[in-house]
Amino acid sequence: MSDHHIKRLVIMRHAKADWPMGVPDHERPLEERGHREAPLAGKWLLKQGVVPDFILCSSALRTRQTCTWVCDELGDKAPTPKLEDGLYAASANRMLTVINHVPDTVTTLMVISHMPGVQDLAMHLASRDSDHDAYMDAATRYPTSALTVLETEKSWAELDGQDARLTHFTVPRH
């Protein structure tokens, strides 16, 4: 892959959420651990030089809070996130449809959403030349705050299945 044509997709599962009594699922906040771990994802992205120029975030409270922590760490490099109702409780196919509508001027896209869609999407897009260890980690577990980085030469509209190389899978922890 020639560097100037590579697009990167960062798929993140929201940080650890709480289950307060009587609170609708969409309005569940992060719990204490989630507030501690979400900023670590932003730190990891900076350290790896994987800074998104566009962020799509599920409209649920826990994903919005996760996104705020990530953006705080990215500082002035953080793009203005776009809240996307279609990413809440979305299947991998629904998430891919949202991604397919991202303009090609975006070179590094971050999607912050929910299980099982985030894991299913990463596995659906991962090509045969993916990093084996990263692929196996993402396939077998996808805990809160987990990040998958995929690279492709295709346009966002052409992204379909097994056409992005999974390069990193990490779970930022203290």
Side-chain angles (χ1 to χ4, degrees):
M1 285 194 217
S2 54
D3 281 355
H4 65 285
H5 292 300
I6 292 179
K7 293 191 179 309
R8 287 185 297 196
L9 172 62
V10 180
I11 303 170
M12 181 179 185
R13 181 181 178 190
H14 62 78
K16 182 74 175 154
D18 201 358
W19 277 103
M21 291 280 291
V23 173
D25 183 69
H26 191 270
E27 299 309 313
R28 288 175 45 216
L30 292 183
E31 69 167 29
E32 235 178 274
R33 189 177 105 199
H35 286 290
R36 282 194 315 271
E37 291 174 355
L40 300 177
K43 287 183 165 103
W44 185 88
L45 290 169
L46 280 175
K47 188 176 172 196
Q48 299 299 316
V50 181
V51 178
D53 46 314
F54 195 59
I55 298 176
L56 287 170
C57 180
S58 158
S59 59
L61 179 59
R62 58 194 177 275
T63 48
R64 294 191 326 254
Q65 289 177 324
T66 299
C67 186
T68 298
W69 283 115
V70 169
C71 288
D72 281 354
E73 290 301 323
L74 296 176
D76 58 2
K77 293 180 179 173
T80 301
K82 180 176 186 274
L83 293 182
E84 183 62 60
D85 287 331
L87 291 176
Y88 173 66
S91 67
N93 284 340
R94 176 72 188 114
M95 287 184 194
L96 186 55
T97 300
V98 171
I99 292 166
N100 290 153
H101 288 89
V102 170
D104 266 337
T105 51
V106 174
T107 56
T108 301
L109 170 64
M110 182 173 194
V111 174
I112 304 174
S113 194
H114 312 266
M115 278 293 278
V118 287
Q119 183 179 37
D120 293 346
L121 179 63
M123 295 299 93
H124 177 72
L125 291 176
S127 61
R128 295 185 186 278
D129 64 342
S130 292
D131 177 277
H132 179 74
D133 291 340
Y135 179 91
M136 292 309 291
D137 279 353
T140 55
R141 62 193 190 96
Y142 215 107
T144 52
S145 298
L147 291 162
T148 303
V149 180
L150 298 115
E151 294 181 348
T152 186
E153 287 188 11
K154 291 198 169 192
S155 70
W156 298 119
E158 295 173 310
L159 209 53
D160 182 25
Q162 292 193 338
D163 48 12
R165 184 173 178 270
L166 198 158
T167 59
H168 296 86
F169 176 79
T170 188
V171 183
R173 297 283 191 251
H174 279 291

Coordinates of all heavy atoms in Angstrom, one line a residue, residues 26 57-60 64 82-90 94 98:
H26 N -30.2 3.9 26.3 CA -29.6 5.0 25.5 C -29.0 6.1 26.4 O -28.0 6.8 26.0 CB -30.7 5.7 24.6 CG -30.1 6.6 23.6 ND1 -30.0 8.0 23.9 CD2 -29.7 6.4 22.3 CE1 -29.5 8.6 22.8 NE2 -29.3 7.6 21.9
C57 N -19.9 9.2 16.1 CA -20.2 8.7 17.4 C -21.7 8.4 17.6 O -22.5 9.2 17.2 CB -19.8 9.8 18.5 SG -20.0 9.3 20.2
S58 N -22.0 7.2 18.1 CA -23.3 6.9 18.5 C -23.9 8.0 19.4 O -23.2 8.6 20.2 CB -23.4 5.5 19.2 OG -24.5 5.4 20.0
S59 N -25.2 8.2 19.3 CA -25.9 9.2 20.1 C -26.1 8.9 21.5 O -26.5 9.7 22.3 CB -27.2 9.6 19.4 OG -28.0 8.5 19.3
A60 N -25.8 7.6 21.9 CA -26.0 7.2 23.3 C -25.1 8.0 24.2 O -24.0 8.3 23.9 CB -25.7 5.7 23.4
R64 N -21.1 9.2 23.8 CA -20.7 10.6 23.8 C -19.7 11.0 24.8 O -18.8 11.7 24.6 CB -22.0 11.4 24.0 CG -23.0 11.3 22.9 CD -24.2 12.3 22.9 NE -24.6 12.7 24.2 CZ -25.8 12.3 24.8 NH1 -26.5 11.4 24.2 NH2 -26.1 12.7 26.0
K82 N -19.3 14.0 15.0 CA -20.7 14.0 14.5 C -21.5 12.9 15.2 O -21.1 11.7 15.1 CB -20.7 13.8 13.0 CG -22.1 13.8 12.4 CD -22.0 13.6 10.9 CE -23.4 13.8 10.2 NZ -24.1 12.6 10.2
L83 N -22.5 13.3 15.9 CA -23.4 12.3 16.5 C -24.3 11.6 15.5 O -24.8 12.3 14.6 CB -24.3 13.0 17.6 CG -23.5 13.5 18.8 CD1 -24.5 14.1 19.8 CD2 -22.6 12.5 19.4
E84 N -24.3 10.3 15.5 CA -25.0 9.6 14.5 C -26.0 8.6 15.2 O -25.6 7.6 15.8 CB -24.0 8.8 13.7 CG -24.5 8.0 12.6 CD -25.2 8.8 11.5 OE1 -24.6 9.7 10.9 OE2 -26.4 8.6 11.3
D85 N -27.3 8.9 15.1 CA -28.3 8.0 15.7 C -28.3 6.6 15.1 O -28.5 5.7 15.8 CB -29.7 8.6 15.5 CG -30.0 9.8 16.3 OD1 -29.5 9.9 17.4 OD2 -30.8 10.7 15.9
G86 N -27.9 6.5 13.9 CA -27.8 5.2 13.2 C -26.8 4.3 13.7 O -26.7 3.1 13.4
L87 N -25.9 4.8 14.6 CA -24.8 3.9 15.2 C -25.3 3.3 16.5 O -24.6 2.5 17.0 CB -23.5 4.7 15.4 CG -22.8 5.1 14.1 CD1 -21.6 5.9 14.4 CD2 -22.4 3.9 13.2
Y88 N -26.4 3.8 17.0 CA -26.8 3.3 18.3 C -27.4 1.9 18.1 O -28.3 1.7 17.3 CB -27.9 4.2 19.0 CG -28.5 3.6 20.2 CD1 -27.7 3.4 21.3 CD2 -29.8 3.3 20.2 CE1 -28.3 2.8 22.5 CE2 -30.4 2.7 21.4 CZ -29.6 2.5 22.5 OH -30.2 1.9 23.6
A89 N -26.9 0.9 18.8 CA -27.4 -0.5 18.7 C -27.4 -1.0 17.3 O -28.2 -1.8 16.9 CB -28.8 -0.7 19.3
A90 N -26.4 -0.5 16.5 CA -26.4 -0.9 15.0 C -25.6 -2.2 14.8 O -24.7 -2.5 15.5 CB -25.7 0.3 14.3
R94 N -25.2 -2.0 9.3 CA -25.8 -0.6 9.4 C -24.6 0.3 9.6 O -24.6 1.4 9.0 CB -26.7 -0.6 10.6 CG -27.2 0.8 11.0 CD -28.2 1.3 9.9 NE -28.6 2.7 10.2 CZ -28.2 3.7 9.3 NH1 -27.6 3.5 8.2 NH2 -28.5 4.9 9.6
V98 N -23.3 3.6 7.2 CA -23.0 5.0 7.6 C -21.6 5.3 7.2 O -21.3 6.4 6.6 CB -23.1 5.1 9.2 CG1 -22.5 6.4 9.7 CG2 -24.5 4.9 9.7

